[in-house]
Amino acid sequence: MHEPGSQLIGYSSSAEGKQTFQAFNPLTQEWLPQSFREATIEEIDRAVTLAAAAFSIYKKAAAAQRAAFLHAIADEIIAAGDGLINTASAESGLPIARLQGERDRTTGQLRLFAELITEGSWVNARIDNGPPDVRQLQLPLGVIGVFGASNFPLAFSVAGGDTAAALAAGCPVVCKAHPAHPHTSHIVAGAIRAAAEKTGMPDGVFSLLHGATIATGQQLAVHPLLSAIAFTGSFRGGKALYDTATRRPSPIPVFAEMGSVNPVFFLPGILKEKGETLAGQFLQSLTMGTGQFCTNPGLFVTQAGSDVFLETLQKNIVSLPAGCMLTQGILEAYNKGLAQLQQAGARVLGKAQAHSQQAAPALLQVNVQQALADPALCNEVFGPSSMHIRAESTEELYRLAAALEGQLTATIHGTEEDLRQHAELVDILREKAGRIVINGFPTGVAVNHAMVHGGPWPATTPAAGTSVGTAAIYRFCRPVCYQDFPAYLLPPELQNNNPMKIMRLLNGKFSKDALP
Amino acid sequence: MHEPGSQLIGYSSSAEGKQTFQAFNPLTQEWLPQSFREATIEEIDRAVTLAAAAFSIYKKAAAAQRAAFLHAIADEIIAAGDGLINTASAESGLPIARLQGERDRTTGQLRLFAELITEGSWVNARIDNGPPDVRQLQLPLGVIGVFGASNFPLAFSVAGGDTAAALAAGCPVVCKAHPAHPHTSHIVAGAIRAAAEKTGMPDGVFSLLHGATIATGQQLAVHPLLSAIAFTGSFRGGKALYDTATRRPSPIPVFAEMGSVNPVFFLPGILKEKGETLAGQFLQSLTMGTGQFCTNPGLFVTQAGSDVFLETLQKNIVSLPAGCMLTQGILEAYNKGLAQLQQAGARVLGKAQAHSQQAAPALLQVNVQQALADPALCNEVFGPSSMHIRAESTEELYRLAAALEGQLTATIHGTEEDLRQHAELVDILREKAGRIVINGFPTGVAVNHAMVHGGPWPATTPAAGTSVGTAAIYRFCRPVCYQDFPAYLLPPELQNNNPMKIMRLLNGKFSKDALP
């Protein structure tokens, strides 16, 4: 194991930084004992340079080897046992059961990507045998800088979806640990390191850097040998990285998932049918994990005549339990965000009780005119609050929907009659979000092949990507084509006899056949 | 037909601009009579606003309707007859036969995209039928701003590959005509307009704006209703658009193809075998179209012992015909570029004769040390010149290859023994280029499914894209997923019974089957 508190640069520990920071336990309100060194510029440079050297080896590793590495990471994470879960709980305040579930999600993601690359068709092999003979496949982009999120210390952090997708694609990862859970990050990095050693991966295929200030991330983002950045977090953080990366002498893409308010539209028919039930389900979705999800329903819309639904919400919100938030900063931002919305004219529909170190679930309310006049009323307040907007007519509902910014998700609740009568709403929302949910709730993002966790600006950048599901791998690739290559120089995916038995596009037709 | 010299905004002409410009015939050295108005800010706004309104209709057009539109554009371009070809020749100085070939390429591209969307599998439908039931497909991005290139007045201009790909995807296009061929642009826009009318497309699905100054393009790039930009041209032009688009309040992607030097590596064995033949073929590739191709071989590398090859080049270059360039500006930049390379220490290996209005084919030379010390020696000089770099050893050859910037193409000439001995060169070059050619020449970009016309910065932005071939369509799409949708709200591509009989990824497996 490498020394706690230090950087992991490839297979080596490095402890050159003089500045240190500690994590805070939001449940006990105590600073945790272990101190962590902020990475120095030299350490950041060494990590990326080593990763670039590792790339020249790792990109040539057979899919089976990369898959073995991913499975080994999952195994090592499980082997880290209760220590990992307890540390993550101490650093995040998240309950043990939730973190155990998140661990399953994390190992499940790693194994899903391992299966994807073992099957092999994901490279999108395309062959036009000409003349000229032109053959295309997706190749890894290079060294990826991964910025872990605070709200999923396992599944969207050090060995989370971004790291799994990048390693699967053939890209080394330099991870910037989220300063809210440095020890958790340290343990997971140790698991990746052990897995890399056991499966014979090159030194530098993975590094972990610590830093509590913005400087570490910025220095990583400008490194000339970095090829792309993956980020999950706040709009401010994602935008800062985007600005830095696009202004480099040689710009690189930033895949930033920056959250959204995830509007939920409750149509009149269904509220008549089961307004009370939906109110209960909505509050459950809203307060799950103290509302600390990128897909938390921070905005909901009803039309006139939704009294039972709203009354049930009002009645139930006050008695909901308040929750602990991930960090002091997030708690402060939550309370400040609620205050700002009220100052901007939102009225409080209902609010739970909470002591000073907890976030109280809250429902606010504005009308469509207010929301259209001041778009800030529809901004995300990260936590268990939601803004209710009451539309007087379907036309007003459409106008509001059309005025929304880009979102990760948009949800509609409606009976068949509701949905047929509001077909235009689906049409409007498909321009606003990466995922549209009917009669469900946006929280809970399935990890599969069809998932999209992304959406138009400011939800993510660029809109054309997903950070969850197997399609996430394409963020870390680019197409390369080989023209008139002799057989002995072609990668297996493009060879005539199709040794990997993958699906390919042969002269425009899908086929697993060999070429004559 | 709309009035020549004016903007085409949807189906209407608009002639509000007071500033005008004319095209220049580089062969006759005369200004052409027709004057063109520079689009005003109001006209640009009207074109994009109308396109955004058209999007809400056009995106719902069935694939068969969009395909009919693309075929109709091809038909109308052919119907424009010799008038189009003669106009293009007068505005570009390009020979008639070349432009006839380019017209075939243009109509061929349009029809290839029509076939692609008629077949339908391109949407990458993915279904995981859960629970939750999640279904993904590629949807059009919105209004695309297309910036035509000067060097292909048909195939990379108004109805070129970018426009064909965007319209195929379901995106309206607002095209900024290249000021070097405004009348050609006008005629092609008329063809698109006629095709749109005949196939019942919404007003605004296509608009053409003129402008000789940078202002028109910049104003188009900042329009809030624009969703992406496609550009083919110089690094300076592409970079300016990239900077503008990434600094908007709501950034949008810029797909800029900004050219490259397209290095060609001649390995020792093959030069011994057929140095003379290769010298002839190289000069033909270099001077084709007076070297005015993005894929022109502007840099070539040999190792010691390539005397016959170099002597043949030197002997033959002097007697090659000089050529007319597309514009006065391009000719001036060519001569200035050559002078700068000489000032930076390049020696002239050989140069043809030319009168003052022609570009003389030229070969320059530096050694590896010079090239590594001053990367500007490897910069593109658009036109029929190439820089020779002589490597003293294989190690020096690799060092040079590794130091190159991103390229559209990289080429290797070698015998089987050469190639096996230089396997690392392929490996280095695959990080540098979007297309690697063995024993061929980079000029000539096949339009098919496997082609990649793109590459790492500064060749294109982003690296992960192509502006030629059917994969170019993905630049103008984003994935959207539908969760738990009732059957009657799903697009045909995602319906259980697979009415379009397309290839889909069902629970991770490729299949054309219906879902039970």
Side-chain angles (χ1 to χ4, degrees):
Chain A
M1 279 296 283
H2 66 286
E3 188 202 330
S6 61
Q7 322 309 320
L8 178 67
I9 299 179
Y11 288 126
S12 312
S13 276
S14 180
E16 295 171 6
K18 300 277 173 271
Q19 275 194 288
T20 62
F21 66 97
Q22 288 162 263
F24 186 78
N25 184 327
L27 273 173
T28 63
Q29 293 284 307
E30 284 170 343
W31 292 100
L32 292 163
Q34 178 67 50
S35 80
F36 289 82
R37 292 171 199 270
E38 190 116 9
T40 64
I41 294 188
E42 292 73 22
E43 288 174 324
I44 296 166
D45 177 52
R46 283 216 310 281
V48 182
T49 305
L50 192 65
F55 179 51
S56 66
I57 301 163
Y58 187 59
K59 71 180 182 184
K60 287 184 236 166
Q65 291 175 278
R66 300 203 308 274
F69 179 31
L70 293 170
H71 280 301
I73 296 172
D75 294 342
E76 294 291 332
I77 287 173
I78 290 167
D82 291 345
L84 171 61
I85 300 295
N86 293 336
T87 303
S89 183
E91 289 186 327
S92 68
L94 294 170
I96 297 292
R98 143 75 198 268
L99 287 165
Q100 286 166 335
E102 194 184 323
R103 179 177 55 189
D104 290 347
R105 182 189 180 90
T106 308
T107 55
Q109 281 177 161
L110 287 158
R111 298 195 198 283
L112 182 64
F113 278 108
E115 285 162 24
L116 181 79
I117 61 176
T118 301
E119 194 279 330
S121 301
W122 75 274
V123 298
N124 287 346
R126 297 169 156 235
I127 300 177
D128 288 290
N129 63 353
D133 183 298
V134 182
R135 303 179 184 218
Q136 181 192 123
L137 85 171
Q138 295 289 327
L139 288 181
L141 211 46
V143 181
I144 310 301
V146 170
F147 288 71
S150 64
N151 61 339
F152 280 88
L154 301 174
F156 284 80
S157 192
V158 176
D162 288 334
T163 296
L167 292 177
C171 299
V173 167
V174 176
C175 180
K176 159 71 176 64
H178 196 286
H181 53 266
H183 210 143
T184 307
S185 300
H186 171 83
I187 295 170
V188 174
I192 300 177
R193 183 204 154 147
E197 254 177 341
K198 283 184 182 168
T199 55
M201 293 297 134
D203 192 12
V205 72
F206 178 82
S207 290
L208 182 76
L209 301 171
H210 289 288
T213 65
I214 196 171
T216 320
Q218 288 291 322
Q219 281 152 8
L220 177 57
V222 297
H223 197 289
L225 295 178
L226 201 71
S227 289
I229 289 169
F231 168 91
T232 304
S234 68
F235 176 76
R236 224 188 58 182
K239 177 70 160 60
L241 282 173
Y242 177 82
D243 288 344
T244 299
T246 52
R247 291 168 198 206
R248 290 163 48 117
S250 169
I252 57 173
V254 175
F255 301 99
E257 192 271 79
M258 304 178 286
S260 68
V261 285
N262 304 294
V264 180
F265 292 81
F266 292 98
L267 299 181
I270 203 154
L271 285 189
K272 250 178 229 136
E273 237 174 54
K274 48 175 192 169
E276 257 181 288
T277 311
L278 285 174
Q281 291 172 345
F282 177 74
L283 289 179
Q284 195 173 18
S285 172
L286 178 68
T287 55
M288 190 192 292
T290 321
Q292 298 169 112
F293 294 113
C294 311
T295 54
N296 197 56
L299 185 86
F300 66 109
V301 187
T302 62
Q303 281 183 257
S306 330
D307 300 340
V308 173
F309 174 66
L310 290 173
E311 282 159 17
T312 312
L313 288 177
Q314 277 190 295
K315 193 178 71 195
N316 291 349
I317 184 95
V318 289
S319 55
L320 283 180
C324 170
M325 295 202 91
L326 291 156
T327 71
Q328 194 66 21
I330 290 175
L331 176 64
E332 282 162 17
Y334 177 72
N335 289 325
K336 197 174 148 195
L338 289 185
Q340 280 173 340
L341 291 175
Q342 288 173 65
Q343 278 157 24
R347 93 179 180 91
V348 178
L349 206 61
K351 194 173 178 184
Q353 300 295 313
H355 68 61
S356 68
Q357 295 308 327
Q358 289 179 322
L363 296 174
L364 305 181
Q365 190 179 50
V366 294
N367 61 33
V368 172
Q369 288 76 2
Q370 284 175 288
L372 293 177
D374 181 2
L377 286 166
C378 297
N379 280 356
E380 184 183 12
V381 175
F382 191 73
S385 81
S386 195
M387 175 67 78
H388 175 240
I389 303 182
R390 186 187 178 112
E392 294 306 316
S393 63
T394 301
E395 189 272 332
E396 223 184 46
L397 186 99
Y398 291 167
R399 200 137 39 91
L400 175 74
L404 289 171
E405 287 191 306
Q407 307 286 339
L408 292 169
T409 72
T411 299
I412 306 173
H413 282 271
T415 61
E416 179 164 348
E417 204 190 328
D418 280 333
L419 293 169
R420 288 192 189 275
Q421 281 173 353
H422 293 78
E424 199 179 325
L425 184 60
V426 178
D427 203 53
I428 294 169
L429 294 179
R430 92 173 198 185
E431 303 309 325
K432 299 292 176 184
R435 177 164 59 111
I436 306 166
V437 182
I438 302 284
N439 290 328
F441 289 91
T443 40
V445 184
V447 181
N448 54 29
H449 303 281
M451 179 50 61
V452 176
H453 190 62
W457 182 275
T460 56
T461 164
T466 173
S467 61
V468 174
T470 55
I473 199 170
Y474 297 110
R475 297 172 301 160
F476 307 126
C477 300
R478 65 183 179 92
V480 172
C481 92
Y482 297 121
Q483 184 169 321
D484 291 333
F485 263 50
Y488 58 90
L489 282 181
L490 283 171
E493 292 92 340
L494 297 179
Q495 288 167 9
N496 279 355
N497 60 346
N498 194 14
M500 295 178 69
K501 310 274 176 257
I502 59 175
M503 183 63 81
R504 310 190 290 189
L505 200 64
L506 299 184
N507 299 309
K509 291 196 168 40
F510 281 99
S511 167
K512 291 190 175 183
D513 291 349
L515 271 170
Chain B
M1 281 295 281
H2 65 283
E3 187 202 331
S6 62
Q7 322 309 321
L8 178 67
I9 299 178
Y11 288 125
S12 312
S13 279
S14 180
E16 295 171 6
K18 300 278 173 271
Q19 273 193 290
T20 62
F21 66 97
Q22 289 162 264
F24 186 78
N25 185 328
L27 273 172
T28 63
Q29 292 284 308
E30 284 171 345
W31 292 100
L32 293 162
Q34 177 68 51
S35 81
F36 289 82
R37 291 172 199 271
E38 189 116 7
T40 64
I41 293 189
E42 291 73 24
E43 287 173 325
I44 295 167
D45 176 53
R46 284 218 306 282
V48 182
T49 304
L50 192 64
F55 179 53
S56 66
I57 302 162
Y58 187 58
K59 71 180 181 185
K60 286 184 238 167
Q65 291 175 278
R66 300 204 305 276
F69 178 31
L70 292 170
H71 280 301
I73 296 171
D75 294 342
E76 293 291 332
I77 287 173
I78 291 166
D82 293 344
L84 171 61
I85 300 295
N86 293 335
T87 303
S89 183
E91 289 186 327
S92 67
L94 293 170
I96 297 294
R98 142 75 199 265
L99 287 165
Q100 286 166 335
E102 195 183 322
R103 179 176 56 191
D104 290 347
R105 181 188 181 90
T106 308
T107 56
Q109 282 177 160
L110 288 158
R111 297 195 198 283
L112 181 64
F113 278 107
E115 285 162 25
L116 181 79
I117 61 176
T118 302
E119 194 281 328
S121 300
W122 76 274
V123 299
N124 288 345
R126 294 168 158 235
I127 300 178
D128 288 289
N129 63 352
D133 183 300
V134 182
R135 303 178 185 220
Q136 181 192 125
L137 84 171
Q138 295 288 328
L139 289 181
L141 210 48
V143 181
I144 310 299
V146 170
F147 288 71
S150 64
N151 61 339
F152 280 87
L154 301 174
F156 285 80
S157 191
V158 176
D162 289 334
T163 296
L167 292 177
C171 299
V173 167
V174 176
C175 180
K176 159 72 176 60
H178 196 286
H181 53 265
H183 209 141
T184 307
S185 300
H186 170 84
I187 295 170
V188 173
I192 299 176
R193 182 205 154 145
E197 253 176 342
K198 283 182 183 169
T199 55
M201 293 298 134
D203 193 10
V205 72
F206 178 83
S207 290
L208 183 76
L209 302 171
H210 290 288
T213 66
I214 196 172
T216 320
Q218 288 290 322
Q219 281 152 9
L220 176 57
V222 297
H223 197 289
L225 295 177
L226 201 70
S227 290
I229 290 170
F231 168 91
T232 304
S234 68
F235 176 76
R236 225 188 57 184
K239 176 69 161 60
L241 282 172
Y242 177 82
D243 288 342
T244 300
T246 52
R247 292 169 197 205
R248 291 163 47 118
S250 169
I252 57 173
V254 175
F255 301 98
E257 191 271 81
M258 305 179 284
S260 67
V261 286
N262 304 295
V264 181
F265 292 80
F266 292 99
L267 299 181
I270 205 156
L271 285 189
K272 252 178 226 134
E273 236 175 53
K274 50 174 192 169
E276 260 183 284
T277 311
L278 286 174
Q281 291 172 347
F282 178 73
L283 289 179
Q284 195 174 16
S285 173
L286 178 68
T287 56
M288 188 192 293
T290 322
Q292 298 169 111
F293 293 113
C294 311
T295 53
N296 197 56
L299 184 84
F300 66 109
V301 186
T302 62
Q303 281 182 258
S306 328
D307 300 340
V308 172
F309 174 67
L310 291 172
E311 281 159 18
T312 312
L313 288 178
Q314 276 190 294
K315 195 179 72 195
N316 291 349
I317 184 99
V318 290
S319 55
L320 283 179
C324 169
M325 294 203 92
L326 291 155
T327 71
Q328 194 68 21
I330 290 175
L331 175 63
E332 282 160 19
Y334 177 70
N335 289 324
K336 197 175 148 196
L338 289 185
Q340 281 172 339
L341 292 175
Q342 288 173 66
Q343 279 157 22
R347 93 179 179 92
V348 178
L349 204 62
K351 194 173 179 186
Q353 301 293 312
H355 68 62
S356 68
Q357 295 307 327
Q358 289 180 324
L363 295 175
L364 306 181
Q365 191 179 52
V366 293
N367 60 34
V368 172
Q369 286 77 2
Q370 285 176 288
L372 293 177
D374 181 3
L377 285 166
C378 297
N379 280 357
E380 184 182 14
V381 175
F382 191 73
S385 82
S386 195
M387 175 68 77
H388 174 240
I389 303 182
R390 186 187 177 113
E392 293 307 315
S393 63
T394 301
E395 189 274 330
E396 222 185 47
L397 186 101
Y398 290 167
R399 199 136 40 94
L400 175 75
L404 289 171
E405 288 191 304
Q407 306 287 337
L408 292 169
T409 72
T411 299
I412 307 173
H413 283 272
T415 61
E416 179 166 347
E417 204 190 327
D418 281 333
L419 293 170
R420 289 193 188 274
Q421 281 173 353
H422 293 77
E424 199 180 323
L425 184 60
V426 178
D427 203 53
I428 294 169
L429 293 178
R430 94 174 196 183
E431 303 309 324
K432 299 292 176 181
R435 178 164 58 110
I436 307 167
V437 182
I438 302 284
N439 290 327
F441 289 92
T443 41
V445 184
V447 182
N448 55 30
H449 302 281
M451 179 50 61
V452 176
H453 191 61
W457 182 275
T460 56
T461 165
T466 174
S467 60
V468 174
T470 54
I473 199 169
Y474 297 109
R475 297 173 300 161
F476 308 125
C477 298
R478 66 184 179 90
V480 173
C481 92
Y482 297 122
Q483 184 169 322
D484 291 332
F485 263 51
Y488 58 90
L489 282 182
L490 284 171
E493 291 91 340
L494 296 179
Q495 288 168 10
N496 279 356
N497 60 347
N498 194 14
M500 294 178 72
K501 308 275 177 257
I502 60 174
M503 184 63 81
R504 309 189 291 188
L505 199 65
L506 299 185
N507 300 310
K509 291 195 168 38
F510 281 100
S511 166
K512 291 191 174 182
D513 292 350
L515 270 170

